[in-house]
Amino acid sequence: MDLRARYAMPTDEHGDPVVELRAFTHGLMPRSVPAMMERFCRDWRERGVDAWNAVDTRWQRGDADEDGGPETGWWRLPELLGDRFVAPLLDAPPGTCLWQPSVHHAVQCLLSSPEILAEHRRKVVVTENAFPSVFHSVQRWQDLLGLSLTVVPAGPRGFVDREAVLDALGPDTALAALSHVGFTTGERLPGAFLEEVAARTHEAGGLFVLDGYHAAASMPVRVRELDADLYLGGLLKEGSGSAGNAFVYLRDGLELTPRLTGWFGDAEPFAFRQAPEPHPDVRRRFLGGTTPVASMYHAVEGVKILLDAGLDAVREDALAKTTRGIARADAAGLSLRSPRERRRRGAMLILEVEAADRLCAWLKRRGVYTDSRQGRFLRMAPFVWNTEAEVDHAFDLIEEATRTGAHCEAPLPDAGGPVT
Ligand SMILES: Cc1ncc(COP(=O)(O)O)c(C=O)c1O
C-alpha cells in the first residue's frame, strides 16, 4: 500500500528523515492540511460571523473538494463530519455520529445523563486497563451518582479477563464500558465476546459503551454488529486529524439528556429562551458551548486518505507490517507482549524488553520513533505511511541493541515535557 505520498514525512532537527512508528499517539500530518488551514483563514477573513451559517463545503470526499462544494456552515460541522467521515469508519447509519472535542467530553456527557441510572441499576463495569478518559471520569462521578464501580482485573499478560467481565455483568448493570483495543496491550476484543457483553448489559437495561480509540481508522468497525450503544473514539492517532477531534456514536433511538449539554445543544439556541430545551436530535445534545471550528478544518484529511484506500486494505496493511515485526521479534528471541493472533491484534505491536525506556531513547537518537511504558514495554505501530524497509530497519536496530545491551547504558532523554 503506497499512501506515503499523501503524508508530510517527518524529519529530525537536522532535516534528516526519521521513521515514525507512533501512529497510536499522533498520526502524521496529511499533505492537504496546510491548504485546509489556509481555507479556514480565508473563510474567517472573507465571511466573518457569516461563516457560522455558510462556507463552501471543504469536507467532502472526492473531487468536489478541489473547488469547494455546496455550502454548509460552521454551525452544522459537528453533524456533517459525523455523517460523512465518522459513520463510514464505524459502518454507522446517518444521524448517529457527531464530532466531539475529546472522548473525555463525551463520557462526561454520558455520565451526566439521568437516563443511565435506575433505582436498582447502579453498577458500572470497566476493566483495569481502561483509559483515564473513561476510568477516571467514572470514579469522579461515582459518589455523586451513587455508582458501584466494578473494576475487572486484567488476566495473564495484561489481557482482558473475558470470563470475569461476563461474570461481573448482572441485573444491576447500568454501564459496561470497555476498550475495543487496549491501549496498554494492543489487544483487540473479539466480536463474539463484545456481542455477549452487549446482550448481558442490555438484558439488565444497561448501556454498552465501547472506547474504540485504537480501533476506528485502523480497521473496519461494524458498530451495529457489536451492538454498542455508544462508541467513542478520536481522529488524532491513525486518523491523522490532530488534536481537538474526537467523536461519539449514539445508537439510533437512544434517549439521553446530558446535563453537561450547552447552548449549542439546545433546541433553539438563538431564541435565547430562559428555560433550556434539549435539541430533538439526541446527538446534538452532546455539544457544549461554542464549538472550536479551527480543528475541524484538519479533522478528516487523514480519514479521507484511509477511506479512499478502503479500511479493509488499511487493516490488511497494518496486519502485514505487524506480522513482519513479530517474525523479526521471534527471530531475535524477543518477548512479544501484544497478541500474536491476527484477529486479536490492533495496529500496535508491543515488546517486553529490558530497559525499554532506554531502548526507546537509543532508537530515537538513530531516527526511529517508538515509545515505552513502565521501563518494560516498547510500543510501536507500523502504519500506512511506513514502508516494510522501515520496519526492518527498526528491528535491525532493536536486535543490535538487545543483543549487545548497548541501549542499557544510553542516557534517558530530556524530553522537555511529560508526554510519553
Ligand atoms: C483508549 C483511549 N481512549 C481515550 C483516549 C483519549 O481521549 P481524550 O483525550 O479525547 O479524552 C486515548 C488517548 O490516548 C486512548 O488511548
Side-chain angles (χ1 to χ4, degrees), residues 24 101-105 131 133 179 181 183 211 213-214 237 246:
F24 46 74
S102 63
V103 167
H104 165 83
H105 180 265
F131 195 83
S133 300
S179 288
V181 173
F183 81 105
D211 177 352
Y213 218 131
H214 291 283
K237 304 168 190 286

Side-chain angles (χ1 to χ4, degrees), residues 232-248:
L232 315 162
L235 305 175
L236 173 75
K237 304 168 190 286
E238 286 85 354
S240 288
S242 194
N245 293 304
F247 63 80
V248 61

Side-chain angles (χ1 to χ4, degrees), residues 160 203 207 285 340 401 416:
V160 170
E203 215 174 299
L207 296 178
R285 300 175 194 168
R340 179 175 293 276

Side-chain angles (χ1 to χ4, degrees), residues 6-46:
R6 296 187 66 179
Y7 295 92
M9 299 312 289
T11 52
D12 66 12
E13 67 270 29
H14 309 296
D16 292 327
V18 296
V19 179
E20 180 55 87
L21 293 170
R22 298 172 297 180
F24 46 74
T25 295
H26 199 137
L28 292 190
M29 186 181 79
R31 283 196 186 278
S32 54
V33 164
M36 282 301 281
M37 298 320 289
E38 172 51 33
R39 284 169 171 182
F40 166 65
C41 297
R42 206 188 318 157
D43 288 344
W44 182 7
R45 187 175 66 236
E46 291 174 359

